[in-house]
Amino acid sequence: MTSFKASASSSSSKPSGGWTYDVFLSFRGEDTRNNFVDHLYAALVQKGIHTFKDDEMIRGGEQISLELMHSIEESRFAVVVLSKNYADSSWCLDELAKIMKCGDQAGLKVLPVFYHVDPSDVRKQKGDYASAFSKHEEKFNGEKNEVNKWREALAGAANLSGYHISAVSGLVFIDFWLQFSLGEF
């Protein structure tokens, strides 16, 4: 398991080692923004871990997709919160494809969190994930490469060692993860 060690500086300053962010959070807002991700973000910031969360870090007037992609490149770790509707969003899937590419090419460490979803359903793209990809294939009919890139990124993330979170375990996970894994950040 990858562990983290908080930067000595405050959460608003740049971490050491040339990274702009210690952690990039990837998530589907409608599923997790106002619950699990908000708690995780607050816990990370409280520990002095400089964390990118789109609604906290993107300044008004910036092109969101460019800013997000650049922030992924400038992060040391990516926590990908895979939830029920994550794959419905082509935006989330583009983000995930970039995260996995940076993991392969630039050493970005990726930690998947399976939030109220079965990791096997994500890995095999069954259930809600199968439905989401059927819609993408219909919508992006002429762009099969794009949909295949998303499928590969999702399968790659789901094959990584991660955490399976249920309703009861969400806050326990945050506390456990921060206490257990802050050794290397």
Side-chain angles (χ1 to χ4, degrees), residues 54-130:
D54 60 2
D55 61 342
E56 298 289 332
M57 304 305 288
I58 295 179
R59 297 176 293 277
E62 293 187 20
Q63 290 187 343
I64 294 174
S65 63
L66 293 176
E67 178 69 16
L68 282 174
M69 298 303 163
H70 187 65
S71 298
I72 292 167
E73 292 170 355
E74 293 185 340
S75 297
R76 185 172 172 204
F77 295 89
V79 175
V80 181
V81 183
L82 298 161
S83 57
K84 178 180 176 168
N85 297 303
Y86 187 92
D88 287 343
S89 168
S90 58
W91 193 279
C92 286
L93 294 171
D94 278 338
E95 201 174 275
L96 180 61
K98 178 68 170 183
I99 288 168
M100 297 307 290
K101 181 179 179 182
C102 288
D104 290 341
Q105 297 178 354
L108 175 70
K109 292 179 179 41
V110 182
L111 175 70
V113 175
F114 301 94
Y115 183 78
H116 298 258
V117 294
D118 185 329
S120 178
D121 287 352
V122 177
R123 187 176 305 108
K124 296 176 184 173
Q125 296 162 21
K126 299 184 326 190
D128 293 319
Y129 282 74

Side-chain angles (χ1 to χ4, degrees), residues 128-156:
D128 293 319
Y129 282 74
S131 174
F133 273 101
S134 291
K135 292 175 189 170
H136 290 311
E137 286 172 347
E138 187 176 307
K139 182 178 179 182
F140 296 97
N141 189 23
E143 301 176 41
K144 294 283 187 200
N145 288 339
E146 189 73 9
V147 175
N148 287 337
K149 176 180 77 173
W150 295 338
R151 283 187 178 280
E152 289 173 17
L154 191 61

